[in-house]
Amino acid sequence: MSQDFSAIGRRHLQNDSYGVAAFSLYRAIHERPADAGAWNGLVLALSLMRKEYDTQTILARYALQPNLPYDKQMMPIAFMMYRNSPPAMSGWARAMAGRAGTSAQEKMTFQSMAVDIEESYRKLVEERGEEALKRQGMLTLEEFAARTIELDWVKQGAADTLFAQAEEWLKDDNTVLTAVRMLCMLPDPRSERLLRRVCRDEGIPGKMRTHALLALRWLGVRGNVRLHKMDESFVIDLNDPKPELTISVPSAYKPALDRMSLWIAKELGKATPEEYESFASSEETQLPEALAAKVKEADIPGILQEVVHTVIRSAYDEYYPLVPGIKGYRSWGNAFLMIMKEYVEASGGTWNYGALEHDETAVLHRNWLMSATPDFLEQIAAHRTNG
């Protein structure tokens, strides 16, 4: 009796076992290419693991199969994945315009979008040349779809080769993360064994050990896992890991991030000083709906928020599970603003949001966050030089 890999994948997806879910759903679309639910689940699983390369590739393969119906849930992911690749984005819009299930209004919107994107891309080609743009990752849907991902190798029966490759990658700090993120999609006792070994190996960077712990959970492993960090040994229960184990910014930081955003909204005149003070001086965890609307209206540049998120994740991954409890949200928010301001000025920009609050506790938080990214400013300087 054949297995229903689509149903198996969905069960793993609901259990946050995204790696084994991706493995199962990938098998499902190869057994039944018209299984729209399996395509949806596979894209979701890959995106939840932040596997951008794989997500782009699978989205392109989905778009190039005209018999599959329009799936509105994929639209936000596609916009994010192809935001820097106009040829793929216009190709996606045209593909969706011809899908069953697309309304007449949606068809018109997609067609108009494709025309606008193609015109903008044409101007870019004239200015910089198509080959230069391709080197920057501006590929067509066909080029994205033709790329090989690790799940392709598994299908080809190359599991032994992948495990041998993983062993080699684990020896090099520059490729450990690649190995870890591949192993979470290979439901095999060897994957669990290697990932547990990474969690105990003090010779591997701390961030990578945290990612190995997360990869075990994505592989479907539950129960206790031993993690070595900073000359100590910890037992983490993957049924309910404490502190929170996530690839996103941990939820404990959200109230502080809200205060950071509200402060900028105040500086832009979208919120009043009184509104900011009332919320910032409290320990409320939920930003009131009216203030959330004002933050949204402020339209804070995404790159500035992403810089802060990246620094938070770096520190959290480095020191997990010895991460501080997030109390005194205002000071943490001020620390995030310090990091944001440093980024803007180190990038050669001008900080236009006014003087920050004097907050010695915030300085301590800032120093802890930045200790896991000691080359932060050097990376920015190098990017400016190479750019």
Side-chain angles (χ1 to χ4, degrees):
M1 181 177 178
S2 62
Q3 298 185 68
D4 185 347
F5 284 104
S6 185
I8 293 170
R10 283 288 175 181
R11 285 199 297 273
H12 286 301
L13 197 55
Q14 292 169 2
N15 198 35
D16 298 339
S17 302
Y18 305 133
V20 68
F23 171 85
S24 300
L25 292 163
Y26 177 90
R27 289 198 61 172
I29 66 171
H30 279 276
E31 289 186 358
R32 296 196 304 273
D35 186 342
W39 283 95
N40 175 292
L42 178 56
V43 168
L44 180 59
L46 293 171
S47 64
L48 287 170
M49 292 188 288
R50 301 279 179 92
K51 291 183 73 68
E52 184 168 323
Y53 184 99
D54 300 57
T55 306
Q56 289 173 330
T57 302
I58 294 299
L59 278 169
R61 294 177 186 177
Y62 161 82
L64 293 173
Q65 295 208 39
N67 59 309
L68 288 168
Y70 172 56
D71 187 337
K72 187 172 289 189
Q73 292 181 348
M74 287 195 191
M75 289 307 301
I77 301 174
F79 280 129
M80 177 63 68
M81 290 297 107
Y82 297 139
R83 64 193 181 281
N84 296 320
S85 185
M89 192 67 254
S90 64
W92 175 272
R94 290 198 179 280
M96 296 307 105
R99 288 295 164 93
T102 309
S103 69
Q105 182 58 52
E106 287 169 329
K107 289 179 190 294
M108 291 177 60
T109 299
F110 288 138
Q111 289 166 351
S112 176
M113 181 190 303
V115 169
D116 290 343
I117 293 171
E118 286 159 5
E119 176 60 21
S120 298
Y121 182 64
R122 184 186 63 77
K123 293 177 180 177
L124 277 176
V125 171
E126 290 176 355
E127 292 171 7
R128 293 150 65 181
E130 191 167 21
E131 285 306 311
L133 297 177
K134 283 190 182 296
R135 287 196 294 271
Q136 293 177 26
M138 297 189 189
L139 308 178
T140 64
L141 282 180
E142 290 77 10
E143 288 167 330
F144 275 118
R147 301 189 306 188
T148 301
I149 61 175
E150 290 139 354
L151 288 169
D152 294 331
W153 297 342
V154 177
K155 177 177 175 290
Q156 294 163 8
D160 289 345
T161 302
L162 288 179
F163 283 112
Q165 181 65 73
E167 291 272 13
E168 290 302 311
W169 281 340
L170 291 174
K171 297 174 184 177
D172 185 340
D173 288 354
N174 295 315
T175 53
V176 169
L177 185 58
T178 301
V180 164
R181 288 171 66 77
M182 177 179 71
L183 290 169
C184 78
M185 296 189 299
L186 296 175
D188 183 294
R190 289 172 289 182
S191 295
E192 180 177 350
R193 185 169 63 250
L194 286 172
L195 289 170
R196 284 181 180 271
R197 191 179 80 189
V198 172
C199 289
R200 300 190 304 269
D201 189 344
E202 292 264 15
I204 288 175
K207 295 182 180 73
M208 302 305 105
R209 278 172 269 155
T210 300
H211 275 276
L213 195 64
L214 187 58
L216 280 166
R217 184 168 171 79
W218 288 345
L219 186 63
V221 175
R222 295 297 183 267
N224 292 338
V225 175
R226 189 166 295 281
L227 177 70
H228 291 186
K229 285 283 189 79
M230 292 160 281
D231 298 320
E232 293 189 50
S233 180
F234 305 90
V235 174
I236 307 298
D237 180 5
L238 292 185
N239 290 301
D240 185 22
K242 301 292 184 185
E244 182 182 2
L245 188 61
T246 171
I247 197 169
S248 303
V249 173
S251 57
Y253 290 87
K254 186 180 185 304
L257 287 165
D258 285 341
R259 283 157 178 78
M260 172 195 79
S261 299
L262 186 59
W263 187 89
I264 293 181
K266 168 183 70 79
E267 292 297 306
L268 292 173
K270 303 299 182 182
T272 67
E274 293 76 18
E275 286 173 324
Y276 169 74
E277 186 62 36
S278 175
F279 182 68
S281 60
S282 75
E283 285 298 286
E284 292 181 31
T285 58
Q286 191 68 36
L287 186 65
E289 190 174 326
L291 293 183
K294 295 185 177 186
V295 167
K296 185 176 181 179
E297 188 181 350
D299 194 23
I300 303 166
I303 182 62
L304 298 185
Q305 299 180 69
E306 188 58 34
V307 164
V308 173
H309 293 175
T310 299
V311 171
I312 292 171
R313 277 250 36 113
S314 180
Y316 198 83
D317 288 344
E318 179 67 25
Y319 300 116
Y320 185 92
L322 298 178
V323 292
I326 307 301
K327 298 178 180 178
Y329 296 133
R330 183 176 193 153
S331 287
W332 280 99
N334 288 337
F336 301 155
L337 288 165
M338 290 177 186
I339 293 169
M340 190 182 287
K341 183 173 184 287
E342 287 180 59
Y343 170 81
V344 169
E345 294 176 342
S347 300
T350 301
W351 179 254
N352 296 317
Y353 300 112
L356 303 182
E357 298 178 8
H358 178 72
D359 185 338
E360 293 183 3
T361 302
V363 173
L364 296 176
H365 294 330
R366 176 265 172 209
N367 292 344
W368 178 78
L369 289 162
M370 296 295 284
S371 67
T373 317
D375 57 348
F376 177 67
L377 298 180
E378 289 82 353
Q379 286 182 17
I380 295 171
H383 178 74
R384 290 178 65 196
T385 301
N386 296 332

